[in-house]
Amino acid sequence: MRWTLKPKPDLKTVEALRKALQVDASVATLLIQRGIETYEDAKTFFRPSLADLHDPFLMKDMDKAVERIENALANDENILVYGDYDVDGTTSVALMSSYLKTKSGSIATYIPDRYDEGYGISYKGIDFAHDNDFTLIIALDCGVKAIDKVDYASEKGIDFIICDHHRPGDKLPKAVAVLDPKRDDCEYPYKELCGCGVGFKLVQALASKDDKTVEDLGEYLDLVATAIGADIVPITGENRALAYFGLQVINTNPRPGIKAIIAQVEKKILTITDVVFIVAPRINAAGRMKHGNYAVTLLTETDEGLAKTFAAEINEFNLDRRETDKRITEEALIQITENNEQDRITTVVYHESWHKGVIGIVASRLIETHYRPTLVFTKSGDKLAASARSIKGFDVYNALAACSEHIEQFGGHKYAAGLTLKEENYDAFKQAFEDEVSKTIDRNLLTPEISMDAQIELNDITPKFYRILSQFAPFGPGNMTPIFMTQNLQDTGYGKCVGEDDKHLRLTVTQSHAKLVGIGFSLGDKLHLIQNRQSFDATYSIDENHWQGNVSLQLKLRDIKA
């Protein structure tokens, strides 16, 4: 592990914020590292308000989208709500369709089949709309590059409204409206909304025509918060307010589908991390293992009994997904060993039987063992399809672009991409990708990095300090859980390995007169570094340990060094 300490902010700025907020310098430093430099910034950060959400009509084409939908509702047109099969897509479709169904009985939903139709708007989906007399399609979390598909729909007399958050190409589709904050000509103040967030802004705009405010739309925020967490968008600005209030809905009055998912685990209060690891994988499993329609059905169900039945079904998909990705990961690791590829700069593995729905998860799992850019291929029709995952600091999209002579098509971004190629080009591509990454990667990036916010002493960790830190939540990109480093620690002598195969480390650390329990998941192999009261350094986050009705602070250890 590489340990890197974030640079200390300017001392004058720290002191000014410390005085304005009446907090310790360590708290002021953490805030400035997150772009919060004034009293007003801090007020917005610590006290999110729905009133701070931007006017939806600041988004380019919002007026056109609202006008077209109002006309469709007035004329009782059939409206098809279309979205991608992942969490962001299915929550978007659930949100938009359930809102529009309060206005009209002529609303239906469509999720493309992951394997038959693939990502985004499909010709098959447009044909479905035409065959069933839909004259308006609202596409969510997809469509900003679907130029030919939108033209095809237009020829059949079907209008499109697109709500997307992906970066557009050079040309936009000829839709009635293209809502995308990442459009170059869109002056919407916040650019990091997810697809469901853009859908929510459209609902907010439609509701305003009925003199409703954003406070009247609280019932939809559980969906928005789930999408924000699952799509790993920055939890800053508008997303922070939406996630903050969405979590309140999830924890107090969630829709029956989300309530039924939560009931499957023993968890009273969910954080955004819980949403990412408990709610999102179950919703995603529908599209991975069966069909995204199952997720939309669950998320729009109003009857609690039926929601429980649907949630049980989706939980089975998720268990199947877990079993499948675990087996494929094991098979891929064996393949790497048998091919003597442990010391390569990249991982590229393939088997024709691997399940296409989980190869992205498998790529992420392989990086846990072999930390390097990774591609997992499987057979898809007469071609090979792959999911690519990268490591911090390396742009896998650019590396794929440099190997494009071997690739049929590819898309994605810096850290995740998808591609297809002809089977006969696999070996040549595998070597070209290894050569390209070897040539361009900084070798330091091949060692995982822990980025630490600050160095503190053990006696700085007080209940008051933790109370302030907990108000930094919800955590996520742009506002990650603070990571600290403390030097010259000792174990009290009772440190030991715990858990299955003694995989984890439990200890009680001391420094001067301060003493705290620490737990290090997957750090069992570091036991020798703390024995015999030898001095060591640790990097960690701080959380609460709940045990037999008692609550105490503990260190969640990330790494230990002698």
Side-chain angles (χ1 to χ4, degrees):
M1 284 280 190
R2 279 181 300 138
W3 293 15
T4 55
L5 198 57
K6 289 179 188 169
K8 283 187 175 177
D10 172 66
L11 283 173
K12 281 182 182 170
T13 315
V14 172
E15 182 57 21
L17 189 62
R18 187 193 70 75
K19 274 186 178 171
L21 300 180
Q22 298 290 298
V23 293
D24 293 341
S26 56
V27 173
T29 298
L30 292 170
L31 289 169
I32 292 164
Q33 286 171 337
R34 285 154 178 75
I36 295 142
E37 299 193 354
T38 66
Y39 178 86
E40 282 305 313
D41 289 345
K43 186 180 169 191
T44 304
F45 180 76
F46 285 121
R47 301 283 179 268
S49 166
L50 291 174
D52 291 336
L53 297 186
H54 304 299
D55 177 354
F57 287 98
L58 294 173
M59 199 176 290
K60 182 83 174 174
D61 282 0
M62 185 62 81
D63 51 343
K64 294 176 185 172
V66 169
E67 185 182 356
R68 179 66 186 88
I69 292 169
E70 286 192 321
N71 284 341
L73 294 171
N75 296 318
D76 200 27
E77 290 179 54
N78 292 330
I79 302 173
L80 187 64
V81 181
Y82 188 114
D84 192 24
Y85 42 68
D86 67 2
V87 177
D88 196 12
T90 52
T91 52
S92 299
V93 168
L95 183 151
M96 183 61 64
S97 63
S98 52
Y99 176 77
L100 291 177
K101 280 176 182 175
T102 66
K103 304 278 186 189
S104 163
S106 306
I107 312 295
T109 63
Y110 191 96
I111 304 285
D113 184 277
R114 187 181 196 119
Y115 307 106
D116 179 35
E117 296 164 83
Y119 166 79
I121 295 162
S122 70
Y123 290 112
K124 187 174 177 181
I126 295 166
D127 288 342
F128 171 86
H130 182 250
D131 292 345
N132 291 279
D133 300 323
F134 289 95
T135 48
L136 175 62
I137 298 176
I138 302 172
L140 297 131
D141 189 37
C142 60
V144 79
K145 288 186 174 179
I147 292 162
D148 295 343
K149 314 269 175 57
V150 171
D151 287 347
Y152 178 74
S154 191
E155 289 165 15
K156 291 180 173 289
I158 300 168
D159 286 340
F160 255 98
I161 290 169
I162 288 165
C163 303
D164 206 346
H165 69 120
H166 298 99
R167 194 163 291 287
D170 295 334
K171 280 174 67 184
L172 290 173
K174 290 176 184 164
V176 171
V178 178
L179 306 177
D180 188 334
K182 292 192 177 79
R183 280 178 64 164
D184 288 338
D185 60 349
C186 180
E187 294 181 4
Y188 192 74
Y190 188 69
K191 302 294 182 184
E192 303 297 340
L193 293 169
C194 60
C196 192
V198 177
F200 181 77
K201 298 308 294 187
L202 176 52
V203 167
Q204 187 187 348
L206 288 164
S208 73
K209 295 293 185 179
D210 293 334
D211 296 323
K212 288 187 174 174
T213 67
V214 70
E215 280 83 4
D216 298 314
L217 302 172
E219 67 185 280
Y220 302 105
L221 292 178
D222 52 356
L223 293 169
V224 183
T226 300
I228 287 169
D231 226 51
I232 320 178
V233 289
I235 303 188
T236 56
E238 203 163 35
N239 279 346
R240 179 171 170 83
L242 290 167
Y244 180 88
F245 288 102
L247 278 171
Q248 284 188 2
V249 176
I250 287 170
N251 286 312
T252 56
N253 189 26
R255 65 194 45 242
I258 290 178
K259 186 178 181 180
I261 290 175
I262 297 167
Q264 294 170 348
V265 295
E266 290 179 15
K267 202 83 175 156
K268 284 198 173 78
I269 302 292
L270 267 66
T271 64
I272 203 80
T273 307
D274 296 322
V275 170
V276 171
F277 288 105
I278 294 170
V279 180
R282 286 165 169 80
I283 296 171
N284 242 335
R288 291 186 191 282
M289 309 308 289
K290 200 80 173 177
H291 200 289
N293 282 335
Y294 286 85
V296 175
T297 302
L298 172 68
L299 294 172
T300 53
E301 183 52 61
T302 54
D303 180 275
E304 293 206 357
L306 280 173
K308 277 184 185 171
T309 304
F310 297 146
E313 202 170 17
I314 274 188
N315 193 45
E316 286 302 314
F317 298 152
N318 192 46
L319 293 172
D320 187 18
R321 185 273 306 165
R322 269 194 217 159
E323 214 172 90
T324 306
D325 80 54
K326 185 172 183 251
R327 175 180 53 78
I328 296 173
T329 301
E330 287 166 359
E331 290 172 7
L333 288 169
I334 290 167
Q335 191 178 118
I336 291 164
T337 304
E338 286 180 347
N339 293 342
N340 293 317
E341 293 174 345
Q342 299 94 318
D343 298 326
R344 283 169 66 99
I345 302 298
T346 64
T347 295
V348 181
V349 288
Y350 160 62
H351 194 282
E352 63 180 18
S353 72
W354 288 344
H355 195 302
K356 192 180 173 189
V358 301
I359 55 175
I361 300 174
V362 172
S364 298
R365 296 246 192 277
L366 293 176
I367 287 174
E368 293 170 13
T369 304
H370 299 288
Y371 191 77
R372 57 202 190 190
T374 296
L375 278 84
V376 179
F377 279 89
T378 187
K379 190 93 179 216
S380 180
D382 59 349
K383 299 206 171 71
L384 303 190
S387 274
R389 294 292 182 269
S390 195
I391 56 174
K392 188 176 178 184
F394 184 74
D395 193 324
V396 74
Y397 184 89
N398 286 348
L400 292 173
C403 305
S404 58
E405 65 183 290
H406 307 288
I407 298 172
E408 290 286 289
Q409 58 185 142
F410 73 100
H413 51 83
K414 183 173 181 177
Y415 290 122
L419 66 148
T420 56
L421 49 75
K422 290 178 179 169
E423 188 162 6
E424 60 265 30
N425 292 337
Y426 172 75
D427 290 328
F429 166 80
K430 182 170 178 171
Q431 191 55 53
F433 186 68
E434 172 77 7
D435 294 343
E436 175 61 23
V437 177
S438 298
K439 196 170 66 187
T440 55
I441 198 167
D442 175 347
R443 291 301 196 270
N444 284 327
L445 296 180
L446 295 167
T447 305
E449 178 191 35
I450 296 177
S451 178
M452 301 170 294
D453 292 82
Q455 182 175 335
I456 62 173
E457 300 300 300
L458 217 53
N459 61 14
D460 292 331
I461 302 170
T462 62
K464 182 186 175 186
F465 182 61
Y466 178 75
R467 272 198 309 277
I468 295 170
L469 285 189
S470 61
Q471 289 177 51
F472 279 46
F475 297 111
N479 176 36
M480 299 301 279
T481 302
I483 304 290
F484 303 104
M485 190 262 278
T486 302
Q487 295 179 318
N488 301 318
L489 295 168
Q490 286 183 322
D491 176 51
T492 54
Y494 297 101
K496 60 182 179 181
C497 292
V498 295
E500 190 182 341
D501 301 325
D502 287 342
K503 198 176 176 184
H504 313 305
L505 185 63
R506 192 179 190 281
L507 67 167
T508 303
V509 294
T510 63
Q511 185 191 54
S512 303
H513 300 295
K515 187 188 291 187
L516 276 170
V517 169
I519 182 78
F521 294 107
S522 302
L523 292 182
D525 59 351
K526 306 268 184 178
L527 178 65
H528 65 283
L529 297 178
I530 68 165
Q531 290 175 322
N532 305 318
R533 297 188 67 81
Q534 60 184 309
S535 179
F536 61 90
D537 304 340
T539 177
Y540 55 86
S541 56
I542 305 164
D543 68 6
E544 283 183 330
N545 180 35
H546 295 255
W547 178 249
Q548 293 181 339
N550 297 317
V551 181
S552 58
L553 295 183
Q554 69 174 5
L555 308 184
K556 195 172 177 183
L557 299 166
R558 304 298 172 104
D559 197 19
I560 287 172
K561 285 186 178 176

